[in-house]
Amino acid sequence: MYKSAKCVTPNRNDKSLYNVSLEETMELRKTQMAMSVCLAMIMSLMVSQVVFAEKYSGSMSPHDRKLAEMQALKASLVRRNLPAIVSPPPTPPQAVPGPRVYQVISYGADPTGKLDSTGAILKAMEEAFDGPSHGVLIAGINDLGGARIDLQGGSYLISRPLRFPSAGAGNLLINGGTLRASNDFPMDRYLIELNDEKSKQQYIFEYITLRDLLIDCNYRGGAIAVINSLRTSIDNCYITRFGDTDGILVKRGHETYIRNSFLGQHITAGGDRGERNFSGTAVNLMGNDNAVTDTVIFSARIGVMISGQANLLSGVHCYNKATGFGGTGIYLKLPGLTQNRIVNSYMDYTGIVAEDPVQLQISGTFFLGDAFIVLKSIAGLVRGVNIVDNMFSGSGNGVPIVQLDQRNTAFEDVDQVFVDRNSVNGMGAKSTVAKGSVDGNGTSWTVDFNPVLLFPDMINHVQYTLVASEAGAFPVHAVRNVSGNRVVVETNAPVAATVYVTVTQ
């Protein structure tokens, strides 16, 4: 007979088996950990003593043996790097303020471009404007610390201008998306306006950067207006479909830089059938000390209009409306106060017009397709103009590389004008420095410089050499007349000779 064993099951009603507190459990675990550590220490000591006894038992005194055992135990504990019995509580992480990035989608902007996003983007601009101050830049301009309004790669429909609530902001970036004007966008406004008509400050914004934007004006108004602002950057922007107005307007202010950008009223790559109807101005600089660099202007009636001083254009490629269709690549409209530089650029079938230029530099620029330079007289003044080291390539029809427009009045106040060292192919060379020679047998030699000299009847310096063909012939000779861009040299007796003449205007 076998007796079955009883299986004792804990009674769920017996509270003593289950009612163990969390504190008692933690104390029990700490005690177990301490016992484990102590046991590890004892075992390490015992092992060290055994190893030490086996190795040195016959060669050391009792005192030295005990001392060596204690050192072995200490070394064993250091090697093991035993954890503390009770770990200190972790230090809570310090709160670090995040970057001030205003993502327009989080304000309700529609990145698909189907719904009007004007209000949402304006809200983001207002919050950025009211953000924490990091001091001031120029007087009256709050430093926003590099805050960024992020368009997050979306395409947004805009029905009215985007502008800050008032003057007084600086150190801020707007970037990374597309803005498209709605069908009811105002014809006389700009999608982005740095402007505040109510402000009396000299500079209302400073160090505002507009970068990586495509702005489609939908043939309504313009793209960007920068007014009374200081140190503004427009970088890597594509601006198109502006109306009969300006793509970018820079008015007053100081040091707006337009870089690495593309501007065109119509999206084309040249040879457009509607080129005769192109209108508007891609860039209008109505202020001082601005720069347009490494920028392409591919359609508009005028590529760059300049009516301010000390501006720099470098690496600008204009193939907007061709000169033959009534277009102009660069128009300098500041009679008597030009002081601008156009260097290392590319005028592609469209030229340059300068009204009464004073201190104008045009150099290192390539003129293609009979593109040329016009000096336009308003009050008959031209001073300190250098047109040097350029390349001109034309169709072989003899179009002069530099021309005078004297329909208003003739140029009479001409000083320090230097047109020279230009490479000309298929066009008519023009210069203020010319060399010529003529052979003859008689008493008079005339060298005509009209085909080359820029200004009519303005030779102010002549240098010549007469070389007689007959040995021993030394006639008396002199310059008898300099008029109508002709130089006449005469001798006192007939002689076969060659006359070499250099003139400057």
Side-chain angles (χ1 to χ4, degrees), residues 33 56 60 66 83 111 146 172 191 202 224 236 266 302 313 328 335 389 399 427:
M33 182 181 293
Y56 300 104
M60 299 181 66
K66 292 295 185 183
L172 179 137
L191 271 77
Q202 180 181 7
I224 301 171
N236 192 37
H266 304 270
I302 297 175
L313 274 62
T328 304
D389 303 321
V399 176
M427 298 181 70

Side-chain angles (χ1 to χ4, degrees), residues 53-72:
E54 290 177 351
K55 191 172 182 179
Y56 300 104
S57 59
S59 59
M60 299 181 66
S61 65
H63 175 75
D64 293 336
R65 188 182 302 114
K66 292 295 185 183
L67 183 60
E69 289 174 355
M70 295 300 294
Q71 291 175 345

Side-chain angles (χ1 to χ4, degrees), residues 154-423:
S155 180
Y156 304 95
L157 190 65
I158 305 300
S159 60
R160 62 186 189 277
L162 301 174
R163 59 195 303 181
F164 292 106
S166 63
N171 193 8
L172 179 137
L173 166 69
I174 302 175
N175 78 314
T178 297
L179 302 175
R180 301 185 188 276
S182 65
N183 292 331
D184 57 351
F185 189 89
M187 299 287 285
D188 58 345
R189 301 295 294 274
Y190 296 81
L191 271 77
I192 298 177
E193 293 184 351
L194 300 182
N195 190 20
D196 184 357
E197 297 90 346
K198 298 178 181 179
S199 176
K200 302 300 182 182
Q201 296 177 219
Q202 180 181 7
Y203 302 116
I204 59 177
F205 299 107
E206 181 180 5
Y207 190 37
I208 303 295
T209 300
L210 308 175
R211 189 173 67 204
D212 304 336
L213 301 174
L214 188 152
I215 303 180
D216 182 347
C217 304
N218 192 24
Y219 300 114
R220 303 288 297 177
I224 301 171
V226 181
I227 300 175
N228 287 340
S229 295
L230 178 62
R231 290 181 271 272
T232 303
S233 292
I234 301 172
D235 195 0
N236 192 37
C237 290
Y238 188 120
I239 293 171
T240 188
R241 298 192 177 101
F242 45 88
D244 190 10
T245 180
D246 307 315
I248 298 175
L249 169 65
V250 179
K251 190 173 182 180
R252 297 185 296 273
H254 199 233
E255 295 169 345
T256 293
Y257 272 47
I258 303 169
R259 299 180 291 242
N260 309 312
S261 294
F262 303 88
L263 297 99
Q265 186 182 50
H266 304 270
I267 297 180
T268 179
D272 194 294
R273 293 183 178 181
E275 184 172 345
R276 294 178 182 271
N277 299 319
F278 290 176
S279 63
T281 300
V283 178
N284 191 354
L285 301 179
M286 301 177 67
N288 300 341
D289 302 358
N290 306 296
V292 182
T293 60
D294 300 326
T295 291
V296 175
I297 298 171
F298 54 87
S299 62
R301 185 176 66 86
I302 297 175
V304 183
M305 174 73 79
I306 303 176
S307 54
Q309 299 169 254
N311 295 289
L312 170 64
L313 274 62
S314 174
V316 176
H317 180 190
C318 290
Y319 64 101
N320 51 294
K321 189 173 185 177
T323 299
F325 295 153
T328 304
I330 300 171
Y331 199 113
L332 298 119
K333 192 177 182 63
L334 189 66
L337 293 173
T338 309
Q339 297 177 339
N340 284 277
R341 292 161 291 160
I342 303 170
V343 299
N344 302 328
S345 294
Y346 179 10
M347 309 306 297
D348 194 344
Y349 282 81
T350 185
I352 297 174
V353 177
E355 296 184 353
D356 277 3
V358 172
Q359 291 189 313
L360 170 64
Q361 174 86 11
I362 303 174
S363 62
T365 293
F366 178 40
F367 293 78
L368 179 65
D370 288 327
F372 54 88
I373 300 169
V374 176
L375 305 182
K376 185 175 182 178
S377 174
I378 303 299
L381 171 67
V382 54
R383 295 179 184 171
V385 174
N386 292 323
I387 302 174
V388 296
D389 303 321
N390 301 288
M391 294 190 299
F392 293 83
S393 180
S395 59
N397 294 322
V399 176
I401 63 172
V402 182
Q403 303 178 20
L404 303 179
D405 181 349
Q406 301 183 94
R407 289 174 294 181
N408 290 321
T409 184
F411 281 111
E412 296 182 353
D413 189 349
V414 179
D415 184 34
Q416 301 180 69
V417 178
F418 189 65
V419 181
D420 197 25
R421 303 196 312 266
N422 296 296
S423 172

Side-chain angles (χ1 to χ4, degrees), residues 6 9-10 19 27 37-38 69-70 88 136 145 416 456:
K6 292 183 179 180
T9 304
N19 193 18
E27 289 297 330
V37 172
C38 292
E69 289 174 355
M70 295 300 294
V136 294
Q416 301 180 69

